[in-house]
């Protein structure tokens, strides 16, 4: 039967064959090999031919998969420097203390993970002894993204190094007392040790790629030469299921980030079972990374396999290794030699003959213990190949056994991720296996002791000498004593206080104009990092293209189609703008790298990331939590904000809830400014707080979220009344009164109401103010609520102070004190946003908001639909006053009918 693939049309069929006879000879040779030596031999020759072609620079598609063997043959492995036996003892102590820490903590019910570090111990130890540069090394040292579940092993090594005490270890996952250790890498909780939070799986690899890219950005822009820094990301094979884990692989290869290495611990298990039960995760990842343009190094088998591969003269062993699914490999780990002989070696005569040459002990050594990720020499060879490879990032696929050295009850068991402790007998077995000098007498009352060879022991001296040679302890986070950045010229901010006169300006444009002035500042302008997810023209930022340039490591290798225009598309190697394409996740990773450069590199950078507000917090709130954990600083700007301001776009573009999500992040200062001068005041104070002279007691490790709108509106001048600046920053101030607004009310004792509005809603409120006075004889004062969230946080702090016996009144109560009448709050977000402060307002409270899904229509129709337009505000105000008996109840019905509500 003809192979259907043989008759499929090929791209080669469209190319002219200059020598059909030569082509036929090559094809005949291949047919002859396949017939005489079998298809596997033919495939082998083809792969070797393709490899030779690639080595000679002949442009051919790369092989996406290689055999299930080590990339670096044993004969080509470099000799590892240092004392491998000493490193083995250090690793043994770390294994022991990591398991002891988690087991002791389990008595308090706090949990922890043992098996991950047990599989990855050599992956870390080899790096710490020979590769990972500390903060005293050239540039800024290396950046280490530690796999979250391996944290006990990192703590154990810090304990051996003298950086942690037994008390610290005993307080693992018990932080309330002040000297505990966080469960995972959390910089906010342990800021001298951890640099990068990684345990929200998928965010570590994504952030590592953009960190490596930002390192190049700093170097290419001349901010700081960090070309000697290398980014190492330690990941689990199960973690690679997360879409974020592989979302930016093409970016890394496209930009040639050879300052980046992924180390994927392929223990073949995720949290509840095999990563790819019926398939092979290593082969899948190899194809995925090769296809994305990465250099792939596989370190799968330990030295015990060398003898087997030498005996494999037919290739049968290699073929069998490639076809056995991962779940079966995991089963071999738990079964005896007889089972392995039958199930693995019993699949063909060549394998059966090979098995006859192997003892049971040899088979068990290979299938139970010998993995490439468990041997220092194999790991060293892979790391050396990675740092020496130029032109592309490298991924190391290191095969290990999850739960290695923890005993038969742990190794490769599906449940080992949830197993939190070893018994005393299991610890004693582990002690004997690791050859640790811990006598039985130290197991007192069933408590497992920590082990330490002594502060002046050969192991500790070796460890510290290796770290000193590499630039100091690792991991470590540096707190630099940076001088405050000088404040930009006052002129940049003051120009917004005058208002826009008769010109209508959207607050999005006001923000962009402010940034354009700030990036021109001679002292701090170069430190701004504009980040846009391919929406710069939507936000009116194209004017920054020719002046700042769009960052590209290749510069501009083409002539842009709009080169003859004033605002042409300009890419440059030292470009300042990070225009990321359609990726909010990538843009947030950019922002995190830039916002933490003050610590990572000792360079204060000022990122602002502007995005469709709907696609910020809703899509990437997990990264914003990561940003808060990593102590990032900068400005997030939600543009085209609000549920009714983005005409026609509809349900998935209409943001009515981003301030709600932002309010859940303790590090986010969330503002919904209505006017340009408010934006200027907030940005000015943000620069002072995050980068300048912060007030004593102020937390500098915050970031700002500003909502800005695309609706062109008149921008008023800043009111001259006292307290406006304080009110803008604290969240509320009186914009006008009925009298100062020039709205005449006939009756001297007219009913009065306080109207609170935020963001674009202020304009509907101002219209309602006029309508209430002119049509219904009601006086109203208008307040601008720049931040419902900050008002709430201040009130919560006041409540906490009262519980401590301190007299303190919430700012919102002080601001509204004496204000006559009830309060009606209005926003372009769901009512939950203004209702945050309701319990601290003494006046009668009511609110209007845009609850529900958005819809496609005009702004006016959308506002009428949600009941937040000026007419709806008037009716709501009358209803509130009618309940108090201050207007007739019939006025409410009359208003509804008049306005068609």
């Amino acid at each position: 039967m003809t192979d259907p693939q043989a008759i499929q049309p090929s791209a080669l069929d469209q190319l002219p064959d200059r020598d059909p006879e030569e082509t036929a000879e090559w094809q005949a040779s291949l047919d002859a090999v396949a017939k005489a030596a079998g298809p596997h031999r033919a495939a082998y020759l083809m792969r070797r031919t393709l490899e030779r072609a690639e080595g000679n620079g002949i442009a051919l598609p790369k092989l996406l998969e290689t055999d299930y063997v080590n990339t670096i043959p044993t004969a080509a492995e470099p000799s590892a420097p240092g004392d491998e036996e000493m490193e083995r003892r250090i690793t043994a102590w770390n294994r022991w203390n990591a398991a002891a820490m988690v087991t002791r903590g389990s008595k308090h019910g706090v949990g922890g993970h043992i098996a991950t570090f047990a599989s990855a111990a050599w992956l870390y130890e080899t790096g710490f002894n020979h590769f990972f540069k500390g903060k005293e090394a050239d540039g800024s040292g290396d950046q280490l993204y530690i796999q979250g579940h391996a944290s006990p092993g990192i703590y154990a090594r810090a304990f051996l190094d003298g950086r942690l005490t037994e008390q610290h270890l005993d307080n693992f996952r018990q932080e309330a007392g002040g000297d505990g250790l966080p469960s995972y890498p959390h910089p906010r909780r342990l800021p001298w040790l951890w640099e990068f939070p990684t345990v929200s799986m998928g965010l570590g690899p994504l952030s590592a790629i953009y960190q490596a890219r930002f390192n190049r950005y700093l170097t290419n822009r001349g901010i700081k030469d960090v070309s000697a820094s290398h980014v190492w990301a330690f990941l689990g094979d199960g973690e690679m299921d997360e879409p974020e884990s592989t979302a930016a692989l093409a970016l890394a290869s496209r930009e040639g980030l050879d300052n980046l290495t992924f180390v994927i611990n392929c223990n073949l298990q995720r949290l509840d079972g095999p990563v790819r039960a019926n398939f092979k995760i290593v082969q899948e990842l190899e194809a995925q990374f090769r296809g994305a343009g990465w250099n792939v190094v596989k370190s799968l088998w330990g030295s015990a396999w060398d003898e087997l591969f030498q005996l494999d003269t037919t290739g049968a062993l290699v073929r069998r290794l490639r076809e056995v699914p991962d779940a079966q490999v995991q089963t071999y780990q738990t079964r005896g030699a007889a089972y392995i002989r039958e199930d693995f070696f019993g699949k063909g005569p060549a394998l059966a003959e090979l098995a006859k040459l192997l003892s049971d002990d040899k088979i068990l050594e290979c299938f139970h213990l010998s993995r490439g990720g468990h041997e220092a020499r194999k790991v060293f060879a892979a790391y050396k190949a990675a740092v020496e490879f130029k032109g592309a990032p490298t991924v190391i696929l290191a095969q290990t056994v999850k739960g290695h050295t923890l005993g038969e009850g742990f190794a490769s068991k599906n449940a080992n991720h949830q197993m939190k402790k070893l018994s005393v007998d299991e610890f004693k077995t582990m002690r004997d296996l690791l050859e640790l000098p811990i006598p039985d007498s130290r197991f007192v009352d069933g408590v497992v002791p920590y082990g330490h060879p002594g502060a002046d022991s050969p192991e500790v001296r070796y460890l510290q000498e290796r770290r000193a040679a590499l630039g100091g302890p690792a991991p470590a986070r540096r707190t630099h004593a940076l001088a405050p950045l000088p404040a930009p010229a006052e002129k940049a901010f003051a120009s917004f206080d005058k208002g826009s006169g008769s010109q209508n300006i959207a607050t999005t444009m006001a923000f962009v104009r402010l940034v354009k002035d700030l990036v021109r500042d001679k002292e701090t302008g170069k430190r701004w990092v504009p980040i846009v997810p391919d929406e710069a023209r939507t936000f009116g930022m194209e004017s920054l293209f020719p002046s700042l340039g769009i960052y590209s490591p290749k510069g501009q290798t083409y002539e842009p189609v709009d080169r003859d225009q004033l605002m042409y598309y300009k890419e440059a190697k030292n470009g300042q703008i990070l225009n990321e394409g359609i990726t909010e996740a990538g843009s947030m990773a950019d922002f995190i790298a830039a916002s933490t450069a003050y610590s990572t590199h000792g360079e204060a950078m000022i990122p602002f990331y502007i995005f469709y507000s709907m696609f910020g917090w809703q899509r990437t709130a997990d990264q914003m939590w990561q940003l808060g954990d990593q102590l990032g600083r900068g400005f997030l700007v939600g543009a085209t904000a609000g549920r009714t301001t983005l005409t026609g776009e509809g349900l998935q573009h209409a943001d009515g809830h981003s301030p709600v999500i932002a309010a859940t992040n303790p590090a986010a200062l969330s503002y919904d400014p209505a006017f340009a001068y408010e934006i200027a005041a907030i940005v000015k104070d943000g620069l002072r707080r995050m980068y300048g002279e912060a007030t004593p007691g102020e937390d500098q490790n915050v970031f700002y979220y500003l909502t800005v709108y695309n609706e062109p509106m008149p921008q008023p001048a800043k009111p001259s009344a006292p307290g406006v600046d304080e009110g803008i920053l604290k969240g509320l101030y009186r914009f006008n009164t009925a009298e100062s607004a020039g709205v005449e009310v006939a009756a001297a004792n007219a009913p009065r109401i306080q109207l609170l509005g935020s963001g674009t809603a202020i304009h509907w409120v101002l219209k309602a103010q006029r309508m209430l006075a002119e049509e219904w004889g009601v006086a109203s004062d208008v307040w601008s609520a720049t931040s419902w969230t900050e008002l709430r946080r201040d009130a919560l702090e006041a409540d906490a102070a009262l519980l401590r016996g301190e007299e303190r009144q919430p700012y919102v109560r002080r601001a509204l004190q004496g204000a006559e009448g009830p309060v009606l709050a209005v926003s372009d977000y769901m009512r939950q946003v203004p209702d945050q402060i309701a319990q601290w307002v003494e006046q009668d409270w009511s609110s209007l908001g845009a609850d529900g899904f958005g819809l496609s229509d005009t702004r006016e129709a959308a506002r009428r639909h949600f009941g937040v337009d000026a007419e709806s505000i008037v009716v709501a105000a009358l209803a509130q006053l009618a309940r108090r008996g201050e207007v007739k109840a019939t006025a409410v019905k009359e208003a509804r009918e008049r306005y068609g509500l």
Side-chain angles (χ1 to χ4, degrees):
M1 180 178 176
T2 304
D3 182 353
Q5 292 188 357
I7 59 175
Q8 293 296 315
S10 165
L12 292 174
D13 295 338
Q14 303 176 50
L15 302 177
D17 190 343
R18 295 185 302 177
D19 192 340
E21 185 176 346
E22 182 183 35
T23 303
E25 289 175 357
W26 277 74
Q27 292 172 335
S29 297
L30 181 62
D31 292 342
V33 171
K35 184 176 181 180
H40 297 294
R41 177 61 181 169
Y44 174 81
L45 292 175
M46 287 299 298
R47 286 198 300 271
R48 296 308 296 264
T49 301
L50 288 171
E51 289 171 0
R52 175 59 62 90
E54 182 180 342
N56 289 335
I58 299 173
L60 286 172
K62 292 186 177 180
L63 292 170
L64 293 186
E65 273 189 43
T66 59
D67 284 323
Y68 202 67
V69 296
N70 296 348
T71 301
I72 304 171
T74 301
E77 289 173 359
S79 298
D83 187 334
E84 185 174 328
E85 172 57 25
M86 186 68 72
E87 293 172 19
R88 186 200 64 78
R89 295 206 298 272
I90 292 171
T91 305
W93 286 115
N94 293 340
R95 288 180 182 279
W96 176 272
N97 288 320
M101 179 196 327
V102 175
T103 298
R104 289 165 69 126
S106 68
K107 295 181 181 298
H108 305 286
V110 294
H113 301 285
I114 302 176
T116 294
F117 177 73
S119 65
W122 273 113
L123 301 179
Y124 290 107
E125 193 59 36
T126 303
F128 284 131
N129 286 323
H130 303 290
F131 291 94
F132 303 158
K133 295 185 288 293
K135 298 304 180 185
E136 303 303 324
D138 292 342
S140 303
D142 288 353
Q143 287 82 54
L144 308 181
Y145 287 76
I146 303 295
Q147 191 178 359
H149 293 126
S151 62
I154 307 305
Y155 290 140
R157 196 174 200 277
F159 168 64
L160 205 65
D161 194 12
R163 302 168 76 197
L164 293 175
T165 65
E166 285 194 13
Q167 183 177 359
H168 285 119
L169 301 191
D170 264 347
N171 286 332
F172 174 57
R173 293 193 170 201
Q174 299 174 72
E175 299 178 78
D179 58 353
L181 299 178
S183 53
Y184 304 122
H186 292 305
R188 186 169 285 274
R189 292 302 184 203
L190 201 62
W192 61 267
L193 181 70
W194 298 120
E195 271 196 293
F196 306 107
T198 55
V199 85
S200 184
M201 287 188 282
L203 299 190
L206 180 67
S207 293
I209 289 173
Y210 281 89
Q211 181 66 56
R213 196 279 197 90
F214 190 74
N215 290 359
R216 289 282 173 83
Y217 173 88
L218 286 179
T219 301
N220 288 339
R221 286 198 57 217
I223 302 293
K224 182 178 182 180
D225 184 358
V226 294
S227 55
S229 293
H230 200 90
V231 177
W232 299 83
F234 288 83
L235 317 167
D237 48 0
E239 181 176 7
M240 302 311 293
D241 287 345
E242 291 284 2
E244 295 88 352
S245 294
T246 55
L249 298 186
L251 167 72
S253 61
R254 185 169 66 244
E255 299 204 358
L257 298 181
D258 50 24
N259 61 338
L260 170 68
T261 298
F262 277 14
V263 181
I264 303 181
N265 178 15
C266 297
N267 56 35
L268 312 185
Q269 291 182 250
R270 53 162 77 106
L271 306 187
D272 291 325
V275 179
R276 295 290 183 272
N278 294 298
F279 305 94
K280 300 191 79 63
I281 184 60
V282 168
Q283 300 298 88
E284 179 181 317
L285 291 175
E286 178 183 27
Q288 191 170 15
F289 278 85
R290 282 188 186 278
W294 286 53
N295 175 45
V296 178
V297 177
K298 295 195 290 191
S299 183
L300 308 181
W301 307 111
S303 56
W305 284 83
D306 290 346
E307 180 185 344
L308 273 70
F309 289 128
Q310 290 173 0
L311 294 172
D312 182 30
T313 58
T314 66
L317 175 63
V318 172
R319 290 195 296 273
R320 180 69 177 135
L321 288 173
R322 189 170 182 175
E323 71 187 21
V324 175
D326 284 351
Q328 191 63 29
V329 174
Q330 185 180 347
T331 299
Y332 294 149
Q333 179 68 35
T334 63
R335 300 298 177 88
Y339 178 88
I340 297 172
R341 284 184 185 277
E342 178 182 353
D343 191 84
F344 182 84
F345 291 101
K347 300 301 182 182
L351 287 171
E353 289 301 315
L354 190 154
K356 292 177 181 178
L357 304 174
L358 305 175
S359 67
D360 285 355
D361 287 344
K362 183 65 176 180
I363 289 176
L364 293 179
E365 180 186 12
C366 289
F367 283 84
H368 285 193
L369 302 174
S370 188
R371 299 291 186 273
H374 294 324
E375 294 191 13
R377 182 172 178 177
K378 304 291 185 184
V379 176
F380 180 87
Y383 286 8
K384 189 172 188 291
V387 297
E388 292 179 353
F389 190 87
K390 301 303 176 186
T394 294
V395 60
I396 295 170
L397 304 175
Q399 185 165 253
T400 64
V401 174
K402 193 166 186 177
H404 184 58
T405 73
L406 296 181
E408 293 182 0
F410 261 84
S412 286
K413 295 297 176 66
N414 281 338
N416 61 19
H417 191 80
Q418 304 302 326
M419 297 164 71
K420 312 298 183 186
K421 59 185 178 180
L422 297 174
S423 68
V424 169
D425 287 342
E426 287 172 326
F427 266 106
K428 290 179 179 179
T429 300
M430 180 182 175
R431 171 201 62 190
D432 296 340
L433 175 65
L434 298 176
E435 300 177 353
L436 291 173
I438 301 174
D440 287 353
S441 60
R442 292 199 55 203
F443 291 81
V444 180
D445 297 328
V447 177
V448 180
Y450 294 119
H452 200 293
D456 196 39
S457 65
E459 292 93 333
V460 173
R461 288 200 307 271
Y462 180 89
L463 181 156
Q464 293 175 342
E465 287 168 1
R466 292 306 308 144
R467 289 311 316 157
L470 287 166
R477 181 180 180 275
R478 179 68 60 84
T479 302
H480 297 269
L482 298 179
L485 293 183
E490 181 64 26
K491 179 182 178 181
F493 305 103
S495 63
F496 291 89
D497 292 349
K498 303 173 185 178
S500 62
S502 60
Q503 184 182 9
N504 288 345
I505 298 176
T507 52
T508 298
M509 290 307 305
F511 177 81
V512 171
R513 288 185 185 183
L514 175 61
V515 169
K516 286 174 66 176
D517 290 338
L518 294 176
V519 296
R520 294 192 187 105
D521 186 85
K522 293 181 180 179
E523 295 290 333
T524 60
K526 69 178 182 179
R527 297 192 174 275
W528 283 85
V529 183
I531 302 169
V532 195
D534 198 38
E535 293 284 359
R537 297 184 192 278
T538 300
F539 306 137
M541 292 176 58
E542 67 269 30
S543 59
L544 298 177
F545 288 171
S547 57
L548 301 184
I550 300 165
Y551 173 74
S552 169
K554 291 184 177 295
Q556 192 155 39
T557 62
Y558 60 93
E559 182 177 354
V561 67
D562 54 357
R563 182 62 182 86
D564 57 341
Q565 298 179 15
L566 181 63
M567 293 184 288
Y568 69 97
Y569 195 86
K570 177 187 175 183
E571 295 188 83
K573 190 172 182 179
N574 63 347
Q576 193 164 350
I577 300 170
L578 291 172
N579 193 13
E580 285 307 347
I582 305 174
T583 167
E584 284 80 11
S587 299
M588 267 308 301
D590 261 337
F591 187 89
I592 292 171
S595 70
T596 54
Y598 73 91
S599 172
T600 308
H601 296 297
E603 296 288 345
M605 305 299 289
I606 311 171
F608 80 86
Y609 164 33
I610 187 167
F611 50 89
Y612 264 81
S613 64
M614 184 66 164
F615 305 135
W617 286 90
Q618 174 167 296
R619 181 169 290 198
T620 58
D622 194 12
Q623 287 178 284
M624 292 163 179
W625 197 263
Q626 178 190 20
L627 167 67
D629 192 349
Q630 203 167 317
L631 310 175
R633 305 169 184 173
F635 297 96
L636 296 175
V637 183
T640 60
R643 183 146 278 166
T644 70
T645 63
L646 190 57
T647 56
E649 292 288 350
L651 185 149
Q652 283 196 288
H653 284 68
D655 171 25
H657 53 277
S658 68
V660 177
I661 309 175
T664 66
N665 192 312
L669 277 63
S670 177
Y671 286 91
D672 186 25
F675 305 122
Y677 66 79
E678 294 176 351
I679 292 173
I682 294 165
V683 171
K684 177 183 176 181
D685 194 66
L687 290 172
R688 174 201 62 80
R689 176 170 178 174
M690 294 185 291
Y691 302 98
E693 297 284 358
T695 303
E698 256 184 339
D699 185 3
Q700 283 189 282
N701 299 317
V702 295
F703 60 93
Y704 283 66
Y705 175 56
L706 282 73
T707 53
V708 294
Y709 299 84
N710 69 327
E711 186 173 10
M713 299 296 287
Q715 296 298 325
K718 184 178 179 180
S720 58
V724 170
D725 286 324
E726 179 190 25
I728 291 172
L729 300 179
K730 285 189 173 295
L732 183 69
Y733 68 96
R734 182 153 42 195
F735 176 72
N736 68 22
T737 63
E739 294 74 18
S740 66
V743 180
E744 295 186 6
V745 182
N749 60 344
R752 185 175 289 264
I753 188 169
Q754 307 299 315
L755 301 178
L756 280 57
S758 68
T760 195
I762 200 81
H763 299 286
W764 327 326
V765 169
L766 288 169
K767 181 180 177 182
Q769 182 187 41
R770 293 193 302 274
M771 295 172 66
L772 282 166
E774 295 169 359
E775 301 179 28
W776 304 99
V778 173
S780 56
D781 303 334
V782 173
W783 300 70
S784 179
T786 54
S787 179
W788 309 102
T789 302
E790 287 306 296
L791 290 172
R792 175 179 176 81
R793 288 175 177 172
D794 172 81
L796 290 172
E797 290 174 6
D799 286 355
L802 286 173
L803 292 176
R804 295 192 300 267
E806 305 170 16
E807 288 296 327
R808 182 176 165 186
Q809 192 176 31
Y811 172 81
V812 63
R813 187 169 294 169
R814 285 190 287 116
L816 290 170
Q817 198 163 36
E820 184 182 345
V823 168
L824 174 60
V826 187
S827 94
D828 201 22
Y829 297 93
M830 53 198 301
R831 288 176 60 183
Q832 183 177 340
V833 175
D835 284 349
Q836 291 180 89
I837 66 169
Q839 72 185 83
W840 293 282
V841 174
E842 293 182 326
Q843 292 87 345
D844 290 342
W845 173 271
S846 184
S847 64
L848 295 176
D851 285 74
F853 287 115
L855 74 166
S856 301
D857 214 310
T858 64
R859 293 185 179 112
E860 294 74 16
R863 285 163 189 164
R864 175 57 58 92
H865 171 80
F866 286 110
V868 293
D869 58 353
E871 291 79 4
S872 298
I873 295 171
V874 169
V875 171
L878 292 174
Q880 207 170 357
L881 291 169
R883 286 193 294 271
R884 295 163 56 93
E886 297 179 23
V887 301
K888 295 180 179 179
T890 56
V892 181
K893 180 181 179 183
E894 182 183 347
R896 283 202 304 267
E897 293 174 349
R898 180 184 302 182
Y899 302 136
L901 298 177

